[in-house]
Amino acid sequence: MKIKIDIDSKYDDCYVTIQAKEWTNEVDELVQLLKKKQPKRIVAVQEDRSILLKPEEIDFVFARDRKVFAAINGEFMELKMKLYEVEEMLKKCGFIRFSKSVVGNVNQIDRFELSFNGTLCVYFISGSKEYVSRKYVHDLKAQIMEGGESLDR
C-alpha cells in the first residue's frame, strides 16, 4: 500500500481518495477505520468530582456489585455507564472483552502469563493485572496478532 498526502492551502476541506484495482478486505478495513470516531474522553466519578479520562490511559474497565469502574495506575474510578456501553464506546480505542465482567485495553498490555486452567494473566504497563477467561483468550490472541505482536514475548 502506498500513501500520498497533499497539504495545500487551496483545499477548503479534507478529502480522502482510495485507489485500488478491486474492493479487498484491506480497502474495506481502511474505509471502516476512516469512518470511526474515537471518543476523546470518558467521564468518571470520584467522591463528588467528575473526572475526564483519556481512553488510552485506562488499563481495564470492570463491573462489580452492579457498578462499573475504570482502572488507571492501580486506582479505580466509577463510571456511570453499563459495561456493554463502555465496551462499545472504547472498542475503537483497542479495548476488547477479557471476561464476562472485564473489558481491557490491548494497547496497555505489557506481558502475559498462561495459567494452568487455560486463563491468561495479563500484566499492564502500569503494573496492574487482570485475567482473561478461556472463552476470550482466542479473541485477545487474534487482536494482538493483528497488530503484529506475539503472546510469547
Side-chain angles (χ1 to χ4, degrees):
M1 174 184 355
K2 296 178 183 177
I3 298 174
K4 178 182 174 187
I5 300 174
D6 183 9
I7 306 291
D8 196 319
S9 60
K10 68 181 179 183
Y11 300 118
D12 293 329
D13 208 349
C14 181
Y15 299 95
V16 176
T17 303
I18 298 174
Q19 297 175 329
K21 185 176 182 178
E22 60 186 14
W23 191 272
T24 63
N25 286 342
E26 185 179 37
V27 171
D28 191 50
E29 288 174 14
L30 282 170
V31 171
Q32 295 307 315
L33 186 64
L34 290 169
K35 286 182 177 180
K36 289 182 182 178
K37 291 186 178 178
Q38 295 188 6
K40 293 183 179 14
R41 299 284 177 115
I42 190 165
V43 179
V45 179
Q46 196 174 45
E47 296 167 13
D48 331 354
R49 304 177 306 179
S50 292
I51 300 168
L52 295 174
L53 306 176
K54 295 178 186 174
E56 62 269 14
E57 63 190 12
I58 299 171
D59 291 333
F60 58 94
V61 178
F62 65 99
R64 182 178 298 147
D65 299 327
R66 300 183 152 277
K67 293 182 180 181
V68 175
F69 300 91
I72 299 177
N73 295 322
E75 279 190 67
F76 304 129
M77 298 182 201
E78 186 177 351
L79 306 178
K80 296 295 184 184
M81 299 173 73
K82 303 283 186 206
L83 187 62
Y84 73 88
E85 294 172 329
V86 175
E87 178 182 21
E88 184 63 31
M89 176 188 271
L90 296 180
K91 71 180 178 183
K92 299 168 190 150
C93 301
F95 283 74
I96 66 167
R97 185 67 72 154
F98 279 15
S99 67
K100 184 178 174 183
S101 60
V102 178
V103 177
N105 185 350
V106 174
N107 299 315
Q108 290 293 345
I109 294 175
D110 181 45
R111 69 184 193 280
F112 304 91
E113 286 181 9
L114 292 172
S115 299
F116 66 92
N117 61 357
T119 62
L120 198 62
C121 184
V122 175
Y123 292 88
F124 294 93
I125 296 167
S126 68
S128 297
K129 73 177 183 178
E130 189 53 60
Y131 292 90
V132 180
S133 66
R134 285 186 299 184
K135 180 179 179 180
Y136 297 99
V137 168
H138 177 73
D139 294 341
L140 177 60
K141 284 182 180 180
Q143 179 86 6
I144 295 294
M145 297 304 184
E146 198 174 275
E149 297 182 30
S150 169
L151 290 177
D152 301 325
R153 55 176 174 162

